[in-house]
Amino acid sequence: MRTTLFPEGFVWGVSTSAFQIEGATDRDGRGPSIWDAFAGGAYGDPACDHYLRHADDVRLMQDLGIAAYRFSVSWPRVLPEGHGRVNGPGLDFYDRLVDELLEAGIAPYATLYHWDLPQALQDGGGWTSRDTAHHFAVYARVVYDRIGDRVDTWFTFNEPWVAAFLGHASGVHAPGRRSASDAFVSAHHMLLAHGLGLEALRERGAARAGVVLNLSPVLTPAQLGDMSLDIPEEDAEAVARIDTLHNRQFLEPVLRGRYPAELLPLIEKAAGLGHIRDGDLDLIGRPIDLLGVNYYTPIAVQAQPSAPADPAFPGSEGVLFCSVPTAVTAMGWPIMPSGLSLVLRRLSEEYPETELMITENGADFEDVVTGDGIHDVDRISFVEEHLRALRTSIDEGARVRGYLLWSLLDCVEWADGYRRKFGIVHVDFTTQRRLPKDSALWYRDVIKRNGLGAERPKRPTLETVAARAGVSRATVSRVVNGEARVSPDVRAAVLRAVQELGYVPNAAARSLVTRRTDSVALVLSVPRHGGEALTSAVVQYVTSVLEGAGKRITLMLADTAESHRRIVRHVEARQVDGVVLVPPDGPDTLTERLTRTGVPVVLLGKPAIASLVPHVDVDNAGGARAATRHLLDRGRRRIGVICGPTDLVAVKDRLDGHLATLHEEGLRPMIALAGPDDGESGAAAARELLSGGQAPDAVFAVSDELAIGALRAAREMGLRVPEDLAVVGFGDIHAASCTTPPLTTVRVPAADQALALARLLLSRLDGRHTSPVVLPTRLVVRATT
């Protein structure tokens, strides 16, 4: 059989990190880390119980033929206070682990920092303190002195961008700070710690040392499909700025000993430059032996002047972060293997002297444990396609010496806890039982042959499902295609077999019995909360994506009882393969009637019964929280809310988010109910609030239309905005930027909703498991606050 072989001596392995797998957070003298504090003890222990089960895990790696294991050392396990007292039992654990790896023929690769800073150091300022970088160097020496005689390859840091900007700017990772200044200062001190740690390792005699960076190609949506396209100057600037913030901020100091010139004004604006001292960059830029590359997904951006900065990218004002129109993992990360080729090509061209290793690459997918294993075909396909991209890059000259898959075990996925499944080995977190998935056995074969087989992994077939369910192939096809003429018992048996086997119908199976029309109904109800822009985006993007997938679009208007009956008859007659439904704001019977037809339906907006049908929604509660928090952070304490009809699910969610945020601050709500979603209704509700006994100093309206009415009422009553009254809306309709003064509001991603709708329907038509999609909203700060 033909194979795609890798170079002789290519290193195959896996990666993990201490906090994600070790557990034993209070055992044998380990001190608390920032992740223990951030998670509140919710999932750091027992994790995968690797601290006690490491010998079994090493044997498991040996059975899979793993040649290299990248693990991280827990700083608080070695130095519970971050410096000073050394914890002997903690070092003993890594001593045993290294010996067991070597005895099993597995090369140990040690990472010194994978985000678990000792809480004692955080209490003293954490990475915003320069002292932490010097403590890191001492820590590096302590660890090397114990296991350096047996560990040849060392990495100082794993993904400092994540630790600095998700931990200190957006606050979604530990330590949960939300300060652009802290993020830039922390990033520099981590780079300084890398330089000091590298120096410490070199002094002790380390054979090979480097750092691990998470790198992503930054492209416009148009370039995702065609890299040769010329893009407008403003888009090129947006791409360059995000590339500087995400990639070059770390590549240039480490590999060139300097910061990009374009970065320094962004740092200076947010944090000043006083933390960057003479000699720092010379130390940071000392030569490394190996650059670890973690690749998962690309970043897509384009210029949009009104866009606020993304919290994780301070300095990104005027840049819109876009969705990528491709298949995604269970985490929603776009799958683009060619992105790995772009990263490696760029590194080879710009830093040709640097030796590379893929230190993380993998994917989260929904796994189903069956009686005969876990058939994770999607994960196998993901890794295989990235390995093919990697092999192409090596042929083009990329100096890549190995591939370490993320991850060996299902583990704690940081702020997502135990929900995510990146491992090639399943872990039952109740019993700690390990079960290799099909991907582990497939990877074992890749390692054994030092390459990929010519044959792709085989998916469960229609015949396999039929045999498992004890029915005919035709019956299976009827069930997976939503045919109504199958008994409930038989349908249940087939669906159970489909789930157990992880079966994904292909085009031939779908058309075996049922006739495919390759048509999709796009059903629009009017009026629609969210305005014409959302409806227009749905028509434009849903049509574009589905037509690109070979579907014909039938546009149908659902505005009368008769039109509802006509649409249901059309769908029941199987004149379409699926339905994209934009329901009305008020009472809706059409959704339920369409779901009973058995034809795949996807819905814009969360239905009253959320489990009724797969749907795409935005984080209405989160957007309201951000708006309310914004007002609170500006000293507003008497915040009124203008609320539209609470029988609308979106309005209720926005109200809930607002009230929850006030409750956290111990504040009482001030609610004015509005009638129709228009300016006059908003003005009337605002007058009611402003005429009360304790007038508000801020108003949050659950729609821009209501907020615009509140602005009018404020002017009529002689109030200045924002001096006397701050106003925030929701929706970012076109008029929001044209009010006087311009309206602060919450942007709802119209195009992203439309793209997600199209993808969700395509997933349903392909027979894949689908779950609701909830997209983030974004606060747009303008003059009204």
Side-chain angles (χ1 to χ4, degrees), residues 368-373 375 468 495-503:
V368 178
V369 181
T370 74
D372 57 355
H375 309 299
R468 174 67 67 91
L495 292 178
R496 185 164 55 249
V498 166
Q499 183 183 40
E500 289 175 352
L501 293 170
Y503 172 69

Side-chain angles (χ1 to χ4, degrees), residues 654-705:
R654 293 172 192 178
L655 179 60
D656 288 346
H658 169 75
L659 296 177
T661 309
L662 290 183
H663 179 73
E664 291 167 1
E665 294 293 319
L667 299 177
R668 297 181 62 182
M670 304 166 65
I671 302 174
L673 296 177
D677 188 25
D678 57 31
E680 185 53 47
S681 183
R687 294 186 198 103
E688 177 187 335
L689 281 172
L690 296 168
S691 301
Q694 188 178 26
D697 57 11
V699 166
F700 167 57
V702 299
S703 76
D704 284 347
E705 291 86 349

Side-chain angles (χ1 to χ4, degrees), residues 573-718:
R574 296 298 192 272
Q575 296 187 48
V576 293
D577 299 333
V579 178
V580 175
L581 175 60
V582 181
D585 287 328
D588 169 34
T589 60
L590 183 58
T591 300
E592 183 181 357
R593 292 169 69 186
L594 286 174
T595 58
R596 289 203 301 260
T597 66
V599 171
V601 178
V602 297
L603 186 70
L604 178 64
K606 184 170 69 175
I609 303 175
S611 61
L612 185 63
V613 61
H615 59 272
V616 173
D617 197 16
V618 297
D619 186 6
N620 286 293
R625 277 182 168 274
T628 308
R629 176 57 56 191
H630 174 73
L631 293 170
L632 291 167
D633 289 346
R634 275 145 189 79
R636 309 288 175 158
R637 307 299 289 176
R638 303 187 310 278
I639 304 173
V641 60
I642 298 177
C643 186
T646 54
D647 59 340
L648 302 184
V649 176
V651 171
K652 183 179 182 302
D653 286 348
R654 293 172 192 178
L655 179 60
D656 288 346
H658 169 75
L659 296 177
T661 309
L662 290 183
H663 179 73
E664 291 167 1
E665 294 293 319
L667 299 177
R668 297 181 62 182
M670 304 166 65
I671 302 174
L673 296 177
D677 188 25
D678 57 31
E680 185 53 47
S681 183
R687 294 186 198 103
E688 177 187 335
L689 281 172
L690 296 168
S691 301
Q694 188 178 26
D697 57 11
V699 166
F700 167 57
V702 299
S703 76
D704 284 347
E705 291 86 349
L706 296 176
I708 291 170
L711 288 174
R712 187 167 76 238
R715 284 195 301 271
E716 292 170 355
M717 301 178 73

